[in-house]
Structures are given as C-alpha cells and as structure tokens.
Amino acid sequence: MKYSFKIVFAVLLSGFISVTVSAQIKTYNIRHYGAIADGKTNNTTAIQKAIDKASANGGGRVLVPAGKFVTGVLNLQSNVELHLDKNAFLLGSTLRTDYGAGKASALIVSNHQHHIAITGHGTIDGQGHELLKDIYRRLNAGTLQDTEWRKPNPWHQMRPTEDNRPKLIEFKNCDDIHIKSITIKNGLCWTQNYKSCSNLVIDSIKVENVTYWNNDGIDIVDCKNVKLTNSFFNAADDGICLKSEDPNGACENVYVANCRVRSSASAVKLGTGSLGGFKKITIRHIAVYDTYRSAIAIETVDGGVLEDVDIRDIVAKNTGNAIVIRLGHRNKKGDAGVLRRVYIGNVKVDVPAGKPDAGYAMEGPIVSAPHNVFPSSVTGIPGSRVEDVTLENITINYAGGAKKEVADFGIDSLERVPERISNYPEFSMFGELPAWGFYIRHADGIKIKNMVLTCKGTDYRPAFIADDVKGLSLNALNISQVKTKPAVLLNKVSGLVLKDIKIPGSAKQNIQVQ
C-alpha cells in the first residue's frame, strides 16, 4: 500500500507560481512481516522487522492494522512513522523478562533518532495489571531483584521500584517528533517520557494511566520547542509534568494548550526535578477536575533557573489546591536556584473540604499530620527569594470548614511556620498554614490584580497573609466573606501598594500591618 503527499510552494512575482513536488511513502504492514493479532503471540520480532525495513529503505509508515498485537520492546528508527489504525491495539507484554534484565526498558523507545512519529486512532495498552502480577510472582519467588518493594511508603503497599515497572514510551535525544491522535493506557510508571528532545509536537492524544503510582500522564524533560495541544490526561500521578534532570539542560520554548486533566497528584506541574531550568513556558486553556493536589504547581528546588512562565485560562473543579509556587534548595551540591518572571492569569478553582480524588483506583497519599484545607502559596527561602510574580484575575472558592481542634495556628506566631528548605515541594509541605486563602513568604515584586477569595464554611484563619515580602501590590483584592479579623495580615512587608481592596467592614479592622 502506498500514499502520496504534496508540497506546494507559492511565490508571488507578477502572479502566483506554484511548484509541486510529489513523493511516494511506502507502508509496511506488520502482518506482512509475520505479526499475528490473537492477543497472545509475542510479535516483537515481526514488528521490529517492519520498522527496520522501513528505516533501511529511507523511511516509511509501519502500519498496525485493526487487531490485538502483543509486543515487547520496540525501537523506533529515524524517518519511521508507527501508525495504529482504528481498532488497532498494541499490547505490552505481561512478562517482566520481555523488558530486559536490570532496569526495565520502556515499551517503545528511540534514542538519537530524527523525524519519528506515532499516529493513528489506535491504542497502546501496557496491560499493567497483568504485568504487575508477573512482577510480584517473580519477586516472591526470588527470581527478580528489587531494592524498594518491601520498604515502608506513604501508600502502605509493597511497591516495586520504578526500575521494575516499564514506561510505555521513552524517547531520548531525538528531533522532529510527532505524536497524534493515539490512546495510551495501563502502564506501570510514567506513561511517556521525552528527554532532551527537540521539535516535539503532540496533539489530540488520550492518556488513561491509573493502573499504579508514579503514572504521570506525560513527562517533558529538558526538551526544546514543544507543542502539546488538544489532549486528555487521567493519571495516578502528575498529569502534565515538565522536568529538568540535566544541570546544563532546560525545558525551553514549551507551549501547552487546550487540554483536560485529572490527577491524583498535580494537574500541571513544572518540577519537581529541576537541575537545569524552565524558560519560556506558555500554558493556555486547561480544564482540571477531581485532582488531589494543585491545579498549577511551579517548583524549582534543585538549583535550576525558572523564568518567563506565562499561564492563563485555567478552570479547576474539585481540586485540592489552586496554585503553589516554590523555590527551595534540596540539592546540596550547588546553590539554590532562581524563580522569577511568572505570570498567572484568568484562573478559577473550586477547592473542596474533602479529598478530591477519593474513590479513584489510585488515590494520592493522605497527609498524616492534622490540618485544615490548605491555601495557595508563593514561598521562597531565606537568602533565595521568589521574584516578580503577577497573579491576575484569580478566583479561588474554598469550601471551608476549618476548626481549631483539628489544627490551630495563631497569627501571633508566624515564625512557627517551618522553612523546610530541602523538603519535597508541595502545597502541604509546611503542614497547617495560618491563612485559608493565600500565603506568601520570602518573595520580592509580587503583584496581585483582581483576586477573589471566597470561603463557604467557617474558618478561624485570616484569608490572606504575606510575610517577609519586598514590593507587594494588592490591586482589587476581594474577600467577600470575613471569617475572622484581620482578613489580611501583612508582616514585614515593604513597598506596599493597596488599591481598591474590597472587604466587608472597615479597612482598619480587616487589614493588619505589622
């Protein structure tokens, strides 16, 4: 089977002159190389043979037709498109040995290749439940080594290490990648990992990966020139996650738009891995629901430089936290990083009193320390401060219901909020916080424009606290229900600008500056 494409060049001289170049791209049907669609036969050799043949001939389309094709590890080569037809299922092997000795390989891998693609309306299914059974059988029999599965963890489960749980897609050091329209599901670790790649386009994919923990929907690691659009993620860990694992690398020029996310961790996250940095990150039109942690998490804690981040048009329902921005220092081999020039605008989040991901197969771990509902936060550390953050048109609706008998934090003891400089960054990392709506500490140049904080139930804490902030502008801060006074507490704040503050009652009673 062959298909053709046309490249048309139009040049305006005295009129339009068009030149058409046609090329023939050969299709390599895996059935012709011996693949059997019975849902049982391991077709790794047949499928790899089709990929290798296409690559040897200069490139082409490797076709997975309708049917259920089991496979082990596949290596995608330059100039090859792996195309899954409608009703085509590429099923990951349920035998741990098919992913190699030592650290498990991902199901589909590519390294130092270019012009590669996975397309079509078919499904890549890791068959994670059945693979996990085989992993446990081997662990209990002593035929598989694992350093972690008997160690205590927050989930109180016998959890094998990630080294024994294969990802589904892992591309490294590749250029010119297209992933389009496919469904990816049922892995045992990160769904897809793109590391140190460039010119990556991902569009209209569907990810259902709630089989196990560490199942991020997508990880973009130290990649440049990335466009991720029109996709759906249902993940047992972070939904859309940008990371930096190379001190000399960075996620740079990344555009994410028009996606829907559910997560038992955070929906959209920069970090936690943050050795190199994040630069020129643009995020638009994200819908979030039933998400355990934050709708937006921006974190650099390993020495990386995070700058020029622009996030707009986020709507999150039944989500545990709206925004967490954190500059920390857990990498003791170098200096703390930099977090600056962040804009977040047009955000609406509804935060419930209960656990947003309750009832899902893989819930996020319960915070063990007593606490009430956590506020959003922007926090640096002594000596390394968050800089130049603008939060505009932000509405956060809290269910409320905080009680002193659950956790009590008096506003006369702000110094009791722990620094936790080297801790894993998260909205719950400090334990109980003294504000119900928004908390800011160790930051410079913070601009709040048109922020609305509401709380349906009771809460004994102030709505908004800023502590050790240089250059704070509060322009149109609206706190419609005052649960306690003061509603706003400003401690060690310099360069303060207050304008159009809307709080019921007198400003003198509701805004305390100390």
Side-chain angles (χ1 to χ4, degrees):
M1 177 179 177
K2 295 183 179 181
Y3 71 92
S4 64
F5 66 88
K6 295 183 179 181
I7 304 172
V8 180
F9 302 92
V11 181
L12 180 62
L13 296 173
S14 56
F16 285 99
I17 302 173
S18 65
V19 180
T20 301
V21 180
S22 294
Q24 294 293 320
I25 304 296
K26 187 174 181 180
T27 295
Y28 299 79
N29 190 322
I30 63 171
R31 283 186 179 274
H32 299 164
Y33 294 84
I36 300 172
D38 60 2
K40 298 177 181 179
T41 303
N42 189 317
N43 294 288
T44 309
T45 300
I47 299 172
Q48 191 62 53
K49 188 182 294 184
I51 292 171
D52 293 344
K53 187 70 172 179
S55 180
N57 289 340
R61 169 181 280 188
V62 172
L63 175 65
V64 181
K68 295 181 178 180
F69 298 90
V70 175
T71 184
V73 177
L74 299 175
N75 193 337
L76 196 58
Q77 313 266 350
S78 291
N79 301 310
V80 174
E81 171 194 4
L82 182 63
H83 184 86
L84 283 71
D85 265 353
K86 185 178 180 181
N87 297 322
F89 292 84
L90 201 57
L91 305 177
S93 169
T94 59
L95 299 177
R96 168 64 179 85
T97 51
D98 285 335
Y99 297 90
K103 180 178 173 61
S105 170
L107 182 64
I108 304 174
V109 301
S110 193
N111 197 355
H112 287 97
Q113 303 300 300
H114 63 271
H115 191 46
I116 55 178
I118 304 177
T119 66
H121 291 88
T123 299
I124 298 170
D125 185 344
Q127 301 196 102
H129 290 290
E130 295 305 313
L131 176 57
L132 188 61
K133 291 177 183 177
D134 182 67
I135 291 172
Y136 279 128
R137 279 195 296 267
R138 295 173 190 275
L139 289 172
N140 287 316
T143 58
L144 180 64
Q145 300 303 309
D146 194 291
T147 58
E148 294 184 15
W149 78 295
R150 292 189 183 275
K151 290 182 179 180
N153 58 66
W155 295 269
H156 307 293
Q157 296 286 336
M158 304 281 278
R159 185 169 71 151
T161 176
E162 292 181 36
D163 287 352
N164 275 321
R165 293 184 278 117
K167 301 176 178 69
L168 294 182
I169 299 173
E170 187 164 55
F171 292 170
K172 299 180 180 179
N173 307 296
C174 294
D175 178 62
D176 190 9
I177 304 164
H178 285 74
I179 312 293
K180 185 173 176 61
S181 300
I182 59 171
T183 295
I184 318 172
K185 66 181 185 179
N186 298 333
L188 284 183
C189 199
W190 297 359
T191 310
Q192 47 196 325
N193 182 29
Y194 304 96
K195 185 172 182 179
S196 301
C197 294
S198 56
N199 301 309
L200 169 63
V201 177
I202 302 172
D203 182 64
S204 301
I205 68 170
K206 180 180 180 181
V207 173
E208 293 275 6
N209 205 12
V210 294
T211 312
Y212 211 64
W213 295 283
N214 302 115
N215 281 21
D216 292 358
I218 184 170
D219 289 273
I220 297 168
V221 185
D222 292 310
C223 292
K224 293 177 171 59
N225 303 328
V226 178
K227 186 177 182 182
L228 166 61
T229 54
N230 307 315
S231 295
F232 171 79
F233 299 89
N234 178 15
D237 210 315
D238 297 320
I240 299 172
C241 190
L242 278 59
K243 298 179 183 287
S244 179
E245 298 176 348
D246 180 357
N248 299 311
C251 281
E252 187 170 357
N253 193 25
V254 177
Y255 177 81
V256 179
N258 303 319
C259 293
R260 189 165 180 252
V261 183
R262 197 225 60 95
S263 165
S264 286
S266 292
V268 177
K269 182 175 178 180
L270 278 60
T272 300
S274 46
L275 287 171
F278 307 87
K279 302 179 180 180
K280 299 180 181 177
I281 311 298
T282 302
I283 298 173
R284 297 284 188 272
H285 301 290
I286 307 296
V288 180
Y289 72 99
D290 293 0
T291 287
Y292 174 51
R293 292 179 174 156
S294 301
I296 303 166
I298 300 175
E299 305 161 350
T300 180
V301 295
D302 297 325
V305 175
L306 189 155
E307 60 188 8
D308 300 320
V309 174
D310 190 319
I311 300 174
R312 306 182 192 220
D313 306 312
I314 311 295
V315 176
K317 298 179 179 179
N318 195 37
T319 296
N321 185 258
I323 299 166
V324 60
I325 299 176
R326 173 63 172 171
L327 171 58
H329 189 196
R330 69 175 184 177
N331 178 16
K332 300 305 181 183
K333 295 180 180 179
D335 296 333
V338 173
L339 197 161
R340 62 192 175 199
R341 297 198 298 273
V342 173
Y343 177 92
I344 300 177
N346 303 333
V347 172
K348 183 176 181 180
V349 182
D350 292 326
V351 178
K355 197 168 185 290
D357 67 334
Y360 280 85
M362 292 290 159
E363 296 183 24
I366 296 174
V367 178
S368 58
H371 66 89
N372 290 295
V373 175
F374 294 106
S376 288
S377 61
V378 177
T379 59
I381 58 177
S384 296
R385 305 168 69 85
V386 173
E387 304 174 63
D388 191 9
V389 173
T390 299
L391 304 171
E392 184 171 17
N393 299 330
I394 309 292
T395 298
I396 310 174
N397 302 314
Y398 293 91
K403 299 177 181 179
K404 285 189 176 183
E405 52 265 36
V406 173
D408 187 11
F409 210 120
I411 61 174
D412 57 347
S413 53
L414 296 182
E415 69 278 0
R416 283 179 43 218
V417 178
E419 295 290 352
R420 297 188 175 162
I421 292 170
S422 60
N423 280 35
Y424 186 91
E426 196 51 81
F427 73 97
S428 58
M429 65 181 295
F430 303 110
E432 180 75 348
L433 280 169
W436 62 256
F438 221 103
Y439 176 79
I440 304 173
R441 183 170 66 170
H442 304 319
D444 299 341
I446 306 299
K447 300 179 181 65
I448 307 291
K449 301 179 181 179
N450 191 26
M451 176 179 284
V452 178
L453 301 175
T454 70
C455 183
K456 296 177 182 177
T458 58
D459 203 303
Y460 67 93
R461 300 168 293 178
F464 185 102
I465 292 179
D467 187 12
D468 184 25
V469 178
K470 298 177 182 178
L472 174 64
S473 174
L474 300 179
N475 186 344
L477 175 62
N478 186 335
I479 302 169
S480 57
Q481 306 107 330
V482 176
K483 302 299 178 178
T484 190
K485 296 179 181 179
V488 176
L489 176 60
L490 307 176
N491 184 58
K492 299 178 184 177
V493 173
S494 61
L496 176 63
V497 176
L498 298 176
K499 183 180 179 182
D500 195 22
I501 306 299
K502 297 179 181 178
I503 306 174
S506 69
K508 187 175 182 179
Q509 289 181 315
N510 282 316
I511 301 176
Q512 181 175 319
V513 180
Q514 58 187 37

